[in-house]
Amino acid sequence: GSATELQVTPGTGSTFAGDVTIGALTSGETAQLVINHEGGAGPTAKFMSRTNRSTVQIADNDTNGYLVAEGDLFSIGRAASASANNINIDSSNRVGIGTTSPNFKLDLVNASASTAVYQQFRNGTTGTASGDGTVMGIDADGDFLINNQEAKEIKFYTSDAGPRLTIAAGGAATFAGTVSGTTATFTTFSGDLNGTINTVTTAVTKG
């Protein structure tokens, strides 16, 4: 078909009272909007709403995504409004996932009762499946857990030194630290930490 050109002359303050459509949702049709800007403090493009909510929709043939400014939130996700289903950034730059009212720099929430909330950490060494890496968070009972799903250690450090506590893949724990000003190392025990240590395989070493 014939090409139609939309041309806006810089400095003229052009205003369009109605909708402006570029391209068509027809097989084989392509269209692009290129906005060139010198850079600096001013925005290259601005999308504004007269009322409380401004929404930009990005979609293909089977997926919709939205950028939303509403209230004091900038919201990114699948909902067309500021929603707990989106990633939300408030006016204090706190990020909420599962909430529109984050309390900390990163706040992960599942408002449903008896529902776990986990984070997973993976890399190319651990593998990237759901059973790889380390998972931490709150389980359905409200207990906090750290689960290294690899046959590897969990290590705890303080003051950028340590490890102060190492838990081996088999469950044996090694402690190292300072007790009443005297360096002491407690190594490899198993037992009930609620009150009774069943086995100590290495005695305390003082240095």
Side-chain angles (χ1 to χ4, degrees):
S2 61
T4 301
E5 181 178 283
L6 172 65
Q7 185 172 14
V8 179
T9 303
T12 61
S14 301
T15 300
F16 300 91
D19 296 338
V20 176
T21 300
I22 301 174
L25 292 178
T26 304
S27 178
E29 290 284 341
T30 60
Q32 63 179 352
L33 174 63
V34 178
I35 302 174
N36 295 312
H37 188 265
E38 183 64 23
T44 300
K46 183 183 289 187
F47 300 88
M48 300 182 66
S49 175
R50 184 184 62 82
T51 55
N52 182 49
R53 181 188 303 157
S54 182
T55 305
V56 176
Q57 180 180 2
I58 303 171
D60 64 2
N61 64 323
D62 60 4
T63 306
N64 287 295
Y66 299 90
L67 305 176
V68 183
E70 183 176 2
D72 72 342
L73 293 175
F74 178 61
S75 189
I76 307 168
R78 305 297 289 270
S81 62
S83 165
N85 294 320
N86 287 351
I87 299 171
N88 299 294
I89 306 172
D90 71 6
S91 57
S92 298
N93 296 313
R94 294 173 296 202
V95 178
I97 300 176
T99 179
T100 57
S101 303
N103 295 316
F104 299 94
K105 285 297 184 182
L106 177 61
D107 196 351
L108 277 64
V109 177
N110 189 324
S112 300
S114 300
T115 304
V117 181
Y118 295 136
Q119 301 176 66
Q120 186 174 18
F121 302 87
R122 301 169 293 174
N123 62 18
T125 302
T126 66
T128 57
S130 60
D132 293 326
T134 297
V135 173
M136 63 185 298
I138 302 172
D139 68 12
D141 292 328
D143 297 323
F144 182 77
L145 64 84
I146 301 173
N147 178 17
N148 187 352
Q149 302 181 121
E150 307 295 315
K152 303 289 286 184
E153 298 174 335
I154 296 177
K155 299 178 180 180
F156 295 87
Y157 291 73
T158 62
S159 301
D160 199 27
R164 308 297 194 189
L165 166 63
T166 301
I167 304 175
T174 300
F175 292 82
T178 300
V179 179
S180 299
T182 302
T183 301
T185 301
F186 305 84
T187 62
T188 314
F189 74 87
S190 62
D192 180 7
L193 293 181
N194 290 319
T196 303
I197 298 177
N198 298 323
T199 303
V200 177
T201 58
T202 303
V204 175
T205 302
K206 295 183 179 181

